[in-house]
Amino acid sequence: MLISSGVIRLILLSALLAFSPLVQAQQQAPESELKAAILVNMLLFVDWPTQASQPTDRLTLCYLDSGPVAMVLDHLNGKAIKGKALQVMRVNVNMVTGCHALYVSPNDSTALARVIPSLRTSGVLLLGDSRGYLQRGVMINLDVDDGRIVFDVDLRSARVAGLVMSSKVLRLARKVVE
């Protein structure tokens, strides 16, 4: 008995559809990789004031704790952002003024209270991914909502720090605090 090419195609299509959830699950990036990519891409939509303490030939993204997102950020070191090389580095709470952006992880909750007062007007973009961080002064905070990574923006804190955020990023935000 001969099987027509149409029947063979139908069988192959059915097999592919049956395995597609497995393929999609394997291709989906881990949450830490998605968050790190979003955080780095946010740098494209921010303009910094000229600060003597910040380098002008590169964008410096700092972090305090070496959690999963910070480890992925390290792998993005050297990436070109706005025509400048991205420098990713771990710092302590006393060395954050030389950074363009500071990522604070869920493990940095106690350090955040020490960092916020010194950075209010420093021109440093504060990035985080923990519930409640937006209310504590973090300017862009990631969250997981219905299985998707979303972000909220505290535009007031960004303006006080002298940062200008593109309207493009504000339109994509789940919530903007003005």
Side-chain angles (χ1 to χ4, degrees):
M1 173 170 105
L2 293 175
I3 300 175
S4 72
S5 63
V7 172
I8 292 174
R9 285 187 193 141
L10 184 60
I11 293 170
L12 287 173
L13 181 60
S14 297
L16 285 174
L17 290 174
F19 289 109
S20 92
L22 178 61
V23 171
Q24 287 174 346
Q26 290 175 349
Q27 289 179 343
Q28 186 178 8
E31 184 177 308
S32 59
E33 288 181 19
L34 292 172
K35 285 182 175 182
I38 291 169
L39 292 173
V40 167
N41 284 320
M42 288 293 171
L43 303 179
L44 293 167
F45 300 100
V46 177
D47 290 321
W48 283 265
T50 303
Q51 301 277 350
S53 62
Q54 294 172 334
T56 57
D57 61 334
R58 63 188 177 275
L59 277 175
T60 306
L61 173 58
C62 303
Y63 62 90
L64 299 173
D65 181 55
S66 60
V69 174
M71 290 185 342
V72 177
L73 288 172
D74 266 335
H75 293 295
L76 299 173
N77 192 44
K79 177 181 175 157
I81 303 286
K82 293 181 144 185
K84 299 178 181 182
L86 178 65
Q87 179 183 19
V88 179
M89 56 191 273
R90 185 174 182 173
V91 296
N92 66 42
V93 293
N94 301 319
M95 298 179 59
V96 295
T97 55
C99 307
H100 287 96
L102 175 67
Y103 164 69
V104 286
S105 77
N107 298 333
D108 294 327
S109 183
T110 55
L112 185 60
R114 292 178 39 208
V115 169
I116 291 286
S118 66
L119 294 182
R120 287 207 195 279
T121 60
S122 68
V124 176
L125 176 67
L126 284 169
L127 306 162
D129 67 338
S130 300
R131 290 187 190 265
Y133 272 16
L134 196 73
Q135 293 78 13
R136 294 179 63 190
V138 168
M139 298 161 195
I140 298 176
N141 193 53
L142 304 180
D143 194 8
V144 178
D145 186 12
D146 198 25
R148 292 182 22 233
I149 297 175
V150 296
F151 65 93
D152 300 317
V153 176
D154 183 346
L155 195 54
R156 292 175 311 188
S157 294
R159 286 180 179 151
V160 168
L163 303 170
V164 178
M165 291 194 187
S166 167
S167 61
K168 293 176 185 175
V169 79
L170 298 176
R171 283 192 301 263
L172 295 174
R174 175 180 64 179
K175 177 172 91 173
V176 177
V177 177
E178 293 190 63

